[in-house]
Every structure is written in C-alpha cells, then in structure tokens.
Amino acid sequence: MDRDHADALLREMLRIRRFEEKAAELYSLGKIRGFLHLYIGEEAVAVGAMQALTPEDGVVATYREHGQALARGIPAGALMAEMYGKANGCSRGRGGSMHFFDVARRFYGGHAIVGGGLPVAVGLALAARLQSRAQVTACFFGDGAVAEGEFHESLNLAALWKLPVLFLCENNLYAMGTALARHQSQPDIRRKADAYGMPSDAADGMDVVAVEEATRRAAERVRRGDGPVLLELRTYRFRAHSTADPELYRSKEEVAEWKQRDPIALFSARLQAMGILTDADQASLEASVGGEIDEAVRAAEAGPWEPVEDLTRDVYTGTP
Ligand SMILES: Cc1ncc(C[n+]2csc(CCOP(=O)(O)OP(=O)(O)O)c2C)c(N)n1
Ligand SMILES: [Mg+2]
C-alpha cells in the first residue's frame, strides 16, 4: 500500500474518533445539547467510502454524520461550532449535530428522519442528469432505514430511471434497540436490491481498505451510467445509540467482541506489520489530530451567537 494514502486513511479515522470523544465530553459538560449520535466504531465506513468520491459528487448522510462531514472536508471547527449552536457553525448553528450541511462541499445533510435522505439523494441525482452534470450522489443510511417505504420508493425510481446514486447502507445491526433480524423478513440487506434489478455488493465495514475497494468498484459502475448500486457495509457502533440509551438490547460480550475489530486498531496494526507505521509516526499523528481538535473547540467557544434580530430569518411560516 502507498504510504501517503495509508497515512491519510489512518489520520481521517483518528480525526473522527478524537472529534467525537471530545464531543461526548463537551456534551456531558452541557456545552453541546440536543441529540448526539456517535459514530465511534464505524469510522472505516465514512473514510473508506469517501475515497471513491470526487469533489463534484454529492453526499447525503443521516443524523450520525460527524464522520462523513469530517471525511468530506468540512473543517472540524465549523462542525464543533455547529454543535455549540454558534453562528460560525456549518449550518449557522441552526441545525446542531444532526443537521450538518455544506453546499460548497456538496454535503447535503445531516437528516434526522430515518430514511429521509434517500429521496433527497434520488432528487439530486435526477437534477444532475437533467443538467447533464457528471456527478454521483452517495447516500449513506442505516439498516433501520430499509424498513421505511422511502427506501423502497427511492431504490425503485433510481433503478427505473437509471440514476447515478450510490446507496451505501451502514449496517450496524441495530436500529436504536431493534436488532435487524427482529424487523426484517429478509435480513440480508444487499438482496433487497434484487427486487429492483439493481446490482449490489457487501463489504466488511471494519476494514477501511475493503470499504474503499468495494466503494470504488460500485462508484465506477454508477459513473459509467448504468444506474444505481446498493453497497452494504457491515459495521458496529461501539457507543450507545444516542445520549440516553441503557443498551439493554445487546450484551456486553457482543460489544466487547466487536471491539476486538476496532477499525483504527486493526488498520494501524496492519500498517505496523507492513513496516510503514512506527510508534513514533503514530504518536505524531495523534499529536497533530489532538491539536486540530483543540483548535476546533477554541473556534466553537469563541464563535458568536446569532443576533436575536436574525432568529426569524429563514424560518418558513404559512400565511394564516
Ligand atoms: C421516520 C423516523 N422514525 C423513527 C425515528 C426515531 N429513530 C431515530 S434513530 C432510529 C434508528 C435508526 O437506525 P438505523 O437506520 O439503523 O441507523 P443507526 O442509528 O443505527 O445509525 C430511529 C427509529 C426517526 N428519527 N425517524
Ligand atoms: Mg443501525
């Protein structure tokens, strides 16, 4: 493996991990409020998949989107400030953790409604087609979203119209407290694409290289103009669903077993074994990522609150 690329993958995963650990700490201090869905354990999915996308491609994600936003290049300070509700946040402090948005980077949310991003992605792909723009729209969604009508409607239309959508299912086995096998008659998610005549694939979501390879293959296919592809990435979240979750639906042993396959630890061990990462490299990477996160917190702390006079700006109200 090319050393620079390996470094970049490891750095991106570490940035997400440290950013979220800090966010959890700030949440317990009351600096961040509302919901906070951590991606810890799933970093290889966002980082691996993002390698296959160009800046022209669109990205749609869920409320568990800190990883995608960071990997897409939205500055950590703009994300931290968003979670503080500050005006220098990427959504001007109006969205918070679940609603990151950045038009310039073609990052179209952050969607709090389960499955809500799927029709948006299909619409973006249709717009790209109508405007003759070569653009793939990558749509991340959870295993819980496959139970939603929007999932089926979106796959159907995208396949029927051969739209350039890359459907990326982050299958972490649970939708809040509901295990996949408790809500799906067919728990093999990729097979759902068969009903729409859509090609599909699956990859180990704890292995950043496997995710990158599978996403590159799928994205190339979409780019050729053959229509959408469904790619299932099998992963696991190490933390609770959100901030208030006693985790009674899974055993500590199961969580511990998955932690043996921590995507960051796995990848750095692999690089060490290949002789392209030393302990000193890892320490300097940690220091540089730590500095970036500290800087992000400073930006959030120093950021301005939106002036009260602006609070009704962009608020949609119907006329009675
Ligand atoms: C339409 C809708 N129904 C229910 C909820 C409440 N809810 C929030 S997250 C969630 C679980 C979704 O699980 P999954 O899609 O697997 O994503 P994960 O949280 O595992 O990343 C549910 C049911 C919601 N936000 N939207
Ligand atoms: Mg899930």
Side-chain angles (χ1 to χ4, degrees), residues 38-73:
L38 300 178
Y39 197 57
I40 291 176
E42 306 188 33
E43 295 92 342
V45 173
V47 172
M50 217 58 82
Q51 308 307 312
L53 304 180
T54 71
E56 283 70 44
D57 294 334
V59 177
V60 176
T62 72
Y63 46 82
R64 198 182 298 287
E65 88 285 31
H66 306 159
Q68 281 84 2
L70 282 165
R72 186 59 180 182

PDB file of all heavy atoms in Angstrom, residues 38-73:
ATOM      1  N   LEU A  38     -23.083   9.153  18.216  1.00  0.00           N
ATOM      2  CA  LEU A  38     -21.663   8.965  17.924  1.00  0.00           C
ATOM      3  C   LEU A  38     -21.440   7.834  16.923  1.00  0.00           C
ATOM      4  O   LEU A  38     -22.153   6.837  16.910  1.00  0.00           O
ATOM      5  CB  LEU A  38     -20.894   8.704  19.222  1.00  0.00           C
ATOM      6  CG  LEU A  38     -20.984   9.838  20.248  1.00  0.00           C
ATOM      7  CD1 LEU A  38     -20.245   9.480  21.521  1.00  0.00           C
ATOM      8  CD2 LEU A  38     -20.464  11.158  19.681  1.00  0.00           C
ATOM      9  N   TYR A  39     -20.394   8.020  16.129  1.00  0.00           N
ATOM     10  CA  TYR A  39     -20.068   7.119  15.022  1.00  0.00           C
ATOM     11  C   TYR A  39     -18.923   6.169  15.416  1.00  0.00           C
ATOM     12  O   TYR A  39     -18.467   5.373  14.613  1.00  0.00           O
ATOM     13  CB  TYR A  39     -19.651   8.005  13.848  1.00  0.00           C
ATOM     14  CG  TYR A  39     -19.638   7.402  12.477  1.00  0.00           C
ATOM     15  CD1 TYR A  39     -20.772   6.816  11.933  1.00  0.00           C
ATOM     16  CD2 TYR A  39     -18.481   7.458  11.684  1.00  0.00           C
ATOM     17  CE1 TYR A  39     -20.760   6.301  10.643  1.00  0.00           C
ATOM     18  CE2 TYR A  39     -18.464   6.953  10.398  1.00  0.00           C
ATOM     19  CZ  TYR A  39     -19.606   6.376   9.885  1.00  0.00           C
ATOM     20  OH  TYR A  39     -19.603   5.878   8.593  1.00  0.00           O
ATOM     21  N   ILE A  40     -18.472   6.300  16.651  1.00  0.00           N
ATOM     22  CA  ILE A  40     -17.294   5.553  17.107  1.00  0.00           C
ATOM     23  C   ILE A  40     -17.455   4.045  16.841  1.00  0.00           C
ATOM     24  O   ILE A  40     -18.442   3.446  17.261  1.00  0.00           O
ATOM     25  CB  ILE A  40     -17.017   5.863  18.598  1.00  0.00           C
ATOM     26  CG1 ILE A  40     -16.553   7.324  18.705  1.00  0.00           C
ATOM     27  CG2 ILE A  40     -16.006   4.887  19.208  1.00  0.00           C
ATOM     28  CD1 ILE A  40     -16.317   7.825  20.117  1.00  0.00           C
ATOM     29  N   GLY A  41     -16.495   3.474  16.144  1.00  0.00           N
ATOM     30  CA  GLY A  41     -16.557   2.069  15.726  1.00  0.00           C
ATOM     31  C   GLY A  41     -16.837   1.949  14.227  1.00  0.00           C
ATOM     32  O   GLY A  41     -16.504   0.941  13.611  1.00  0.00           O
ATOM     33  N   GLU A  42     -17.448   2.987  13.657  1.00  0.00           N
ATOM     34  CA  GLU A  42     -17.879   2.902  12.251  1.00  0.00           C
ATOM     35  C   GLU A  42     -17.008   3.748  11.309  1.00  0.00           C
ATOM     36  O   GLU A  42     -17.334   3.930  10.137  1.00  0.00           O
ATOM     37  CB  GLU A  42     -19.346   3.348  12.138  1.00  0.00           C
ATOM     38  CG  GLU A  42     -20.277   2.587  13.077  1.00  0.00           C
ATOM     39  CD  GLU A  42     -21.761   2.884  12.851  1.00  0.00           C
ATOM     40  OE1 GLU A  42     -22.157   3.126  11.700  1.00  0.00           O
ATOM     41  OE2 GLU A  42     -22.512   2.872  13.836  1.00  0.00           O
ATOM     42  N   GLU A  43     -15.910   4.276  11.838  1.00  0.00           N
ATOM     43  CA  GLU A  43     -15.118   5.256  11.078  1.00  0.00           C
ATOM     44  C   GLU A  43     -14.640   4.758   9.720  1.00  0.00           C
ATOM     45  O   GLU A  43     -14.511   5.528   8.763  1.00  0.00           O
ATOM     46  CB  GLU A  43     -13.886   5.696  11.896  1.00  0.00           C
ATOM     47  CG  GLU A  43     -14.205   6.458  13.176  1.00  0.00           C
ATOM     48  CD  GLU A  43     -14.333   5.554  14.402  1.00  0.00           C
ATOM     49  OE1 GLU A  43     -14.507   4.328  14.229  1.00  0.00           O
ATOM     50  OE2 GLU A  43     -14.262   6.077  15.524  1.00  0.00           O
ATOM     51  N   ALA A  44     -14.350   3.448   9.627  1.00  0.00           N
ATOM     52  CA  ALA A  44     -13.819   2.919   8.360  1.00  0.00           C
ATOM     53  C   ALA A  44     -14.833   3.070   7.229  1.00  0.00           C
ATOM     54  O   ALA A  44     -14.454   3.145   6.053  1.00  0.00           O
ATOM     55  CB  ALA A  44     -13.432   1.451   8.522  1.00  0.00           C
ATOM     56  N   VAL A  45     -16.113   3.137   7.578  1.00  0.00           N
ATOM     57  CA  VAL A  45     -17.143   3.230   6.535  1.00  0.00           C
ATOM     58  C   VAL A  45     -17.064   4.601   5.852  1.00  0.00           C
ATOM     59  O   VAL A  45     -16.887   4.687   4.629  1.00  0.00           O
ATOM     60  CB  VAL A  45     -18.545   2.968   7.129  1.00  0.00           C
ATOM     61  CG1 VAL A  45     -19.624   3.240   6.093  1.00  0.00           C
ATOM     62  CG2 VAL A  45     -18.640   1.531   7.645  1.00  0.00           C
ATOM     63  N   ALA A  46     -17.183   5.658   6.641  1.00  0.00           N
ATOM     64  CA  ALA A  46     -17.159   7.002   6.032  1.00  0.00           C
ATOM     65  C   ALA A  46     -15.829   7.258   5.339  1.00  0.00           C
ATOM     66  O   ALA A  46     -15.777   7.772   4.215  1.00  0.00           O
ATOM     67  CB  ALA A  46     -17.403   8.069   7.096  1.00  0.00           C
ATOM     68  N   VAL A  47     -14.742   6.891   6.007  1.00  0.00           N
ATOM     69  CA  VAL A  47     -13.416   7.214   5.449  1.00  0.00           C
ATOM     70  C   VAL A  47     -13.130   6.399   4.186  1.00  0.00           C
ATOM     71  O   VAL A  47     -12.703   6.939   3.169  1.00  0.00           O
ATOM     72  CB  VAL A  47     -12.320   7.003   6.519  1.00  0.00           C
ATOM     73  CG1 VAL A  47     -10.927   7.145   5.915  1.00  0.00           C
ATOM     74  CG2 VAL A  47     -12.506   8.008   7.659  1.00  0.00           C
ATOM     75  N   GLY A  48     -13.399   5.102   4.233  1.00  0.00           N
ATOM     76  CA  GLY A  48     -13.157   4.253   3.059  1.00  0.00           C
ATOM     77  C   GLY A  48     -14.021   4.683   1.886  1.00  0.00           C
ATOM     78  O   GLY A  48     -13.542   4.837   0.761  1.00  0.00           O
ATOM     79  N   ALA A  49     -15.300   4.914   2.158  1.00  0.00           N
ATOM     80  CA  ALA A  49     -16.230   5.247   1.075  1.00  0.00           C
ATOM     81  C   ALA A  49     -15.893   6.597   0.444  1.00  0.00           C
ATOM     82  O   ALA A  49     -15.966   6.761  -0.779  1.00  0.00           O
ATOM     83  CB  ALA A  49     -17.666   5.258   1.602  1.00  0.00           C
ATOM     84  N   MET A  50     -15.490   7.550   1.270  1.00  0.00           N
ATOM     85  CA  MET A  50     -15.246   8.911   0.758  1.00  0.00           C
ATOM     86  C   MET A  50     -14.090   8.937  -0.239  1.00  0.00           C
ATOM     87  O   MET A  50     -14.014   9.826  -1.090  1.00  0.00           O
ATOM     88  CB  MET A  50     -14.978   9.850   1.934  1.00  0.00           C
ATOM     89  CG  MET A  50     -15.539  11.226   1.783  1.00  0.00           C
ATOM     90  SD  MET A  50     -17.322  11.303   1.523  1.00  0.00           S
ATOM     91  CE  MET A  50     -17.956  11.154   3.178  1.00  0.00           C
ATOM     92  N   GLN A  51     -13.198   7.956  -0.170  1.00  0.00           N
ATOM     93  CA  GLN A  51     -12.047   7.908  -1.089  1.00  0.00           C
ATOM     94  C   GLN A  51     -12.490   7.743  -2.544  1.00  0.00           C
ATOM     95  O   GLN A  51     -11.767   8.100  -3.461  1.00  0.00           O
ATOM     96  CB  GLN A  51     -11.094   6.747  -0.744  1.00  0.00           C
ATOM     97  CG  GLN A  51     -10.639   6.700   0.695  1.00  0.00           C
ATOM     98  CD  GLN A  51     -10.047   7.996   1.170  1.00  0.00           C
ATOM     99  OE1 GLN A  51      -9.203   8.582   0.484  1.00  0.00           O
ATOM    100  NE2 GLN A  51     -10.494   8.472   2.330  1.00  0.00           N
ATOM    101  N   ALA A  52     -13.666   7.168  -2.723  1.00  0.00           N
ATOM    102  CA  ALA A  52     -14.124   6.873  -4.083  1.00  0.00           C
ATOM    103  C   ALA A  52     -14.892   8.041  -4.696  1.00  0.00           C
ATOM    104  O   ALA A  52     -15.338   7.953  -5.836  1.00  0.00           O
ATOM    105  CB  ALA A  52     -15.012   5.630  -4.053  1.00  0.00           C
ATOM    106  N   LEU A  53     -15.065   9.110  -3.930  1.00  0.00           N
ATOM    107  CA  LEU A  53     -15.871  10.237  -4.419  1.00  0.00           C
ATOM    108  C   LEU A  53     -14.993  11.407  -4.813  1.00  0.00           C
ATOM    109  O   LEU A  53     -13.921  11.618  -4.247  1.00  0.00           O
ATOM    110  CB  LEU A  53     -16.862  10.675  -3.331  1.00  0.00           C
ATOM    111  CG  LEU A  53     -17.796   9.579  -2.795  1.00  0.00           C
ATOM    112  CD1 LEU A  53     -18.727  10.154  -1.736  1.00  0.00           C
ATOM    113  CD2 LEU A  53     -18.603   8.947  -3.925  1.00  0.00           C
ATOM    114  N   THR A  54     -15.473  12.187  -5.775  1.00  0.00           N
ATOM    115  CA  THR A  54     -14.757  13.389  -6.191  1.00  0.00           C
ATOM    116  C   THR A  54     -15.461  14.604  -5.571  1.00  0.00           C
ATOM    117  O   THR A  54     -16.602  14.482  -5.104  1.00  0.00           O
ATOM    118  CB  THR A  54     -14.806  13.548  -7.728  1.00  0.00           C
ATOM    119  OG1 THR A  54     -16.157  13.914  -8.078  1.00  0.00           O
ATOM    120  CG2 THR A  54     -14.432  12.263  -8.446  1.00  0.00           C
ATOM    121  N   PRO A  55     -14.816  15.766  -5.604  1.00  0.00           N
ATOM    122  CA  PRO A  55     -15.481  16.960  -5.040  1.00  0.00           C
ATOM    123  C   PRO A  55     -16.787  17.304  -5.764  1.00  0.00           C
ATOM    124  O   PRO A  55     -17.645  17.977  -5.210  1.00  0.00           O
ATOM    125  CB  PRO A  55     -14.441  18.077  -5.233  1.00  0.00           C
ATOM    126  CG  PRO A  55     -13.132  17.364  -5.350  1.00  0.00           C
ATOM    127  CD  PRO A  55     -13.425  16.036  -5.998  1.00  0.00           C
ATOM    128  N   GLU A  56     -16.939  16.833  -6.996  1.00  0.00           N
ATOM    129  CA  GLU A  56     -18.179  17.130  -7.740  1.00  0.00           C
ATOM    130  C   GLU A  56     -19.335  16.248  -7.291  1.00  0.00           C
ATOM    131  O   GLU A  56     -20.500  16.554  -7.533  1.00  0.00           O
ATOM    132  CB  GLU A  56     -17.979  16.901  -9.260  1.00  0.00           C
ATOM    133  CG  GLU A  56     -17.218  18.010  -9.965  1.00  0.00           C
ATOM    134  CD  GLU A  56     -15.754  18.019  -9.557  1.00  0.00           C
ATOM    135  OE1 GLU A  56     -15.140  16.937  -9.493  1.00  0.00           O
ATOM    136  OE2 GLU A  56     -15.238  19.115  -9.266  1.00  0.00           O
ATOM    137  N   ASP A  57     -19.030  15.130  -6.676  1.00  0.00           N
ATOM    138  CA  ASP A  57     -20.090  14.214  -6.246  1.00  0.00           C
ATOM    139  C   ASP A  57     -20.856  14.800  -5.050  1.00  0.00           C
ATOM    140  O   ASP A  57     -20.313  15.586  -4.285  1.00  0.00           O
ATOM    141  CB  ASP A  57     -19.496  12.856  -5.852  1.00  0.00           C
ATOM    142  CG  ASP A  57     -18.886  12.129  -7.045  1.00  0.00           C
ATOM    143  OD1 ASP A  57     -19.330  12.384  -8.179  1.00  0.00           O
ATOM    144  OD2 ASP A  57     -17.973  11.309  -6.838  1.00  0.00           O
ATOM    145  N   GLY A  58     -22.091  14.361  -4.896  1.00  0.00           N
ATOM    146  CA  GLY A  58     -22.887  14.803  -3.758  1.00  0.00           C
ATOM    147  C   GLY A  58     -22.867  13.745  -2.658  1.00  0.00           C
ATOM    148  O   GLY A  58     -22.684  12.554  -2.929  1.00  0.00           O
ATOM    149  N   VAL A  59     -23.039  14.210  -1.421  1.00  0.00           N
ATOM    150  CA  VAL A  59     -23.091  13.293  -0.280  1.00  0.00           C
ATOM    151  C   VAL A  59     -24.329  13.614   0.548  1.00  0.00           C
ATOM    152  O   VAL A  59     -24.588  14.782   0.860  1.00  0.00           O
ATOM    153  CB  VAL A  59     -21.829  13.429   0.615  1.00  0.00           C
ATOM    154  CG1 VAL A  59     -21.932  12.522   1.848  1.00  0.00           C
ATOM    155  CG2 VAL A  59     -20.569  13.100  -0.168  1.00  0.00           C
ATOM    156  N   VAL A  60     -25.080  12.577   0.872  1.00  0.00           N
ATOM    157  CA  VAL A  60     -26.243  12.726   1.750  1.00  0.00           C
ATOM    158  C   VAL A  60     -26.032  11.737   2.893  1.00  0.00           C
ATOM    159  O   VAL A  60     -25.652  10.587   2.648  1.00  0.00           O
ATOM    160  CB  VAL A  60     -27.550  12.384   0.987  1.00  0.00           C
ATOM    161  CG1 VAL A  60     -28.750  12.455   1.933  1.00  0.00           C
ATOM    162  CG2 VAL A  60     -27.748  13.320  -0.201  1.00  0.00           C
ATOM    163  N   ALA A  61     -26.264  12.176   4.111  1.00  0.00           N
ATOM    164  CA  ALA A  61     -25.999  11.284   5.247  1.00  0.00           C
ATOM    165  C   ALA A  61     -27.154  11.305   6.248  1.00  0.00           C
ATOM    166  O   ALA A  61     -28.206  11.900   5.991  1.00  0.00           O
ATOM    167  CB  ALA A  61     -24.675  11.674   5.912  1.00  0.00           C
ATOM    168  N   THR A  62     -26.958  10.657   7.366  1.00  0.00           N
ATOM    169  CA  THR A  62     -28.007  10.568   8.387  1.00  0.00           C
ATOM    170  C   THR A  62     -27.689  11.529   9.535  1.00  0.00           C
ATOM    171  O   THR A  62     -26.807  12.372   9.407  1.00  0.00           O
ATOM    172  CB  THR A  62     -28.081   9.142   8.963  1.00  0.00           C
ATOM    173  OG1 THR A  62     -26.925   8.920   9.799  1.00  0.00           O
ATOM    174  CG2 THR A  62     -28.106   8.086   7.863  1.00  0.00           C
ATOM    175  N   TYR A  63     -28.356  11.317  10.655  1.00  0.00           N
ATOM    176  CA  TYR A  63     -28.074  12.115  11.852  1.00  0.00           C
ATOM    177  C   TYR A  63     -26.783  11.648  12.524  1.00  0.00           C
ATOM    178  O   TYR A  63     -26.305  12.278  13.442  1.00  0.00           O
ATOM    179  CB  TYR A  63     -29.251  11.987  12.855  1.00  0.00           C
ATOM    180  CG  TYR A  63     -29.622  10.546  12.978  1.00  0.00           C
ATOM    181  CD1 TYR A  63     -28.908   9.697  13.820  1.00  0.00           C
ATOM    182  CD2 TYR A  63     -30.591  10.004  12.145  1.00  0.00           C
ATOM    183  CE1 TYR A  63     -29.172   8.344  13.845  1.00  0.00           C
ATOM    184  CE2 TYR A  63     -30.861   8.644  12.166  1.00  0.00           C
ATOM    185  CZ  TYR A  63     -30.158   7.825  13.015  1.00  0.00           C
ATOM    186  OH  TYR A  63     -30.403   6.480  13.018  1.00  0.00           O
ATOM    187  N   ARG A  64     -26.239  10.507  12.090  1.00  0.00           N
ATOM    188  CA  ARG A  64     -24.974  10.015  12.659  1.00  0.00           C
ATOM    189  C   ARG A  64     -23.887  10.371  11.643  1.00  0.00           C
ATOM    190  O   ARG A  64     -23.205   9.495  11.107  1.00  0.00           O
ATOM    191  CB  ARG A  64     -25.069   8.488  12.864  1.00  0.00           C
ATOM    192  CG  ARG A  64     -24.022   7.924  13.822  1.00  0.00           C
ATOM    193  CD  ARG A  64     -24.132   6.407  13.954  1.00  0.00           C
ATOM    194  NE  ARG A  64     -25.381   5.942  14.497  1.00  0.00           N
ATOM    195  CZ  ARG A  64     -25.759   6.044  15.772  1.00  0.00           C
ATOM    196  NH1 ARG A  64     -24.939   6.589  16.649  1.00  0.00           N
ATOM    197  NH2 ARG A  64     -26.942   5.611  16.177  1.00  0.00           N
ATOM    198  N   GLU A  65     -23.735  11.670  11.375  1.00  0.00           N
ATOM    199  CA  GLU A  65     -22.959  12.061  10.193  1.00  0.00           C
ATOM    200  C   GLU A  65     -21.675  12.822  10.491  1.00  0.00           C
ATOM    201  O   GLU A  65     -21.072  13.385   9.581  1.00  0.00           O
ATOM    202  CB  GLU A  65     -23.873  12.882   9.254  1.00  0.00           C
ATOM    203  CG  GLU A  65     -23.939  14.390   9.483  1.00  0.00           C
ATOM    204  CD  GLU A  65     -24.754  14.840  10.687  1.00  0.00           C
ATOM    205  OE1 GLU A  65     -24.823  14.121  11.690  1.00  0.00           O
ATOM    206  OE2 GLU A  65     -25.301  15.961  10.631  1.00  0.00           O
ATOM    207  N   HIS A  66     -21.220  12.836  11.738  1.00  0.00           N
ATOM    208  CA  HIS A  66     -19.980  13.574  12.024  1.00  0.00           C
ATOM    209  C   HIS A  66     -18.824  13.030  11.177  1.00  0.00           C
ATOM    210  O   HIS A  66     -17.984  13.781  10.703  1.00  0.00           O
ATOM    211  CB  HIS A  66     -19.574  13.463  13.492  1.00  0.00           C
ATOM    212  CG  HIS A  66     -20.636  13.874  14.461  1.00  0.00           C
ATOM    213  ND1 HIS A  66     -20.647  13.478  15.775  1.00  0.00           N
ATOM    214  CD2 HIS A  66     -21.741  14.648  14.304  1.00  0.00           C
ATOM    215  CE1 HIS A  66     -21.702  13.979  16.390  1.00  0.00           C
ATOM    216  NE2 HIS A  66     -22.390  14.691  15.518  1.00  0.00           N
ATOM    217  N   GLY A  67     -18.791  11.707  11.021  1.00  0.00           N
ATOM    218  CA  GLY A  67     -17.697  11.070  10.284  1.00  0.00           C
ATOM    219  C   GLY A  67     -17.704  11.461   8.819  1.00  0.00           C
ATOM    220  O   GLY A  67     -16.677  11.831   8.256  1.00  0.00           O
ATOM    221  N   GLN A  68     -18.873  11.402   8.201  1.00  0.00           N
ATOM    222  CA  GLN A  68     -18.960  11.766   6.784  1.00  0.00           C
ATOM    223  C   GLN A  68     -18.576  13.232   6.585  1.00  0.00           C
ATOM    224  O   GLN A  68     -17.897  13.589   5.628  1.00  0.00           O
ATOM    225  CB  GLN A  68     -20.379  11.547   6.251  1.00  0.00           C
ATOM    226  CG  GLN A  68     -20.710  10.111   5.925  1.00  0.00           C
ATOM    227  CD  GLN A  68     -21.154   9.319   7.141  1.00  0.00           C
ATOM    228  OE1 GLN A  68     -21.255   9.855   8.244  1.00  0.00           O
ATOM    229  NE2 GLN A  68     -21.409   8.047   6.954  1.00  0.00           N
ATOM    230  N   ALA A  69     -19.052  14.089   7.498  1.00  0.00           N
ATOM    231  CA  ALA A  69     -18.785  15.528   7.346  1.00  0.00           C
ATOM    232  C   ALA A  69     -17.287  15.819   7.449  1.00  0.00           C
ATOM    233  O   ALA A  69     -16.737  16.583   6.652  1.00  0.00           O
ATOM    234  CB  ALA A  69     -19.564  16.310   8.402  1.00  0.00           C
ATOM    235  N   LEU A  70     -16.634  15.187   8.421  1.00  0.00           N
ATOM    236  CA  LEU A  70     -15.188  15.406   8.569  1.00  0.00           C
ATOM    237  C   LEU A  70     -14.439  14.832   7.366  1.00  0.00           C
ATOM    238  O   LEU A  70     -13.559  15.489   6.805  1.00  0.00           O
ATOM    239  CB  LEU A  70     -14.677  14.741   9.854  1.00  0.00           C
ATOM    240  CG  LEU A  70     -14.967  15.498  11.151  1.00  0.00           C
ATOM    241  CD1 LEU A  70     -14.745  14.593  12.355  1.00  0.00           C
ATOM    242  CD2 LEU A  70     -14.095  16.752  11.268  1.00  0.00           C
ATOM    243  N   ALA A  71     -14.811  13.621   6.969  1.00  0.00           N
ATOM    244  CA  ALA A  71     -14.110  12.981   5.851  1.00  0.00           C
ATOM    245  C   ALA A  71     -14.358  13.728   4.539  1.00  0.00           C
ATOM    246  O   ALA A  71     -13.555  13.664   3.615  1.00  0.00           O
ATOM    247  CB  ALA A  71     -14.535  11.521   5.719  1.00  0.00           C
ATOM    248  N   ARG A  72     -15.455  14.457   4.469  1.00  0.00           N
ATOM    249  CA  ARG A  72     -15.748  15.235   3.265  1.00  0.00           C
ATOM    250  C   ARG A  72     -14.958  16.543   3.229  1.00  0.00           C
ATOM    251  O   ARG A  72     -14.939  17.253   2.243  1.00  0.00           O
ATOM    252  CB  ARG A  72     -17.258  15.528   3.222  1.00  0.00           C
ATOM    253  CG  ARG A  72     -17.733  16.207   1.972  1.00  0.00           C
ATOM    254  CD  ARG A  72     -17.428  15.369   0.732  1.00  0.00           C
ATOM    255  NE  ARG A  72     -17.895  16.032  -0.461  1.00  0.00           N
ATOM    256  CZ  ARG A  72     -17.799  15.511  -1.688  1.00  0.00           C
ATOM    257  NH1 ARG A  72     -17.260  14.328  -1.871  1.00  0.00           N
ATOM    258  NH2 ARG A  72     -18.219  16.179  -2.711  1.00  0.00           N
ATOM    259  N   GLY A  73     -14.363  16.886   4.362  1.00  0.00           N
ATOM    260  CA  GLY A  73     -13.513  18.075   4.369  1.00  0.00           C
ATOM    261  C   GLY A  73     -14.129  19.310   4.994  1.00  0.00           C
ATOM    262  O   GLY A  73     -13.570  20.406   4.908  1.00  0.00           O
TER     263      GLY A  73
END
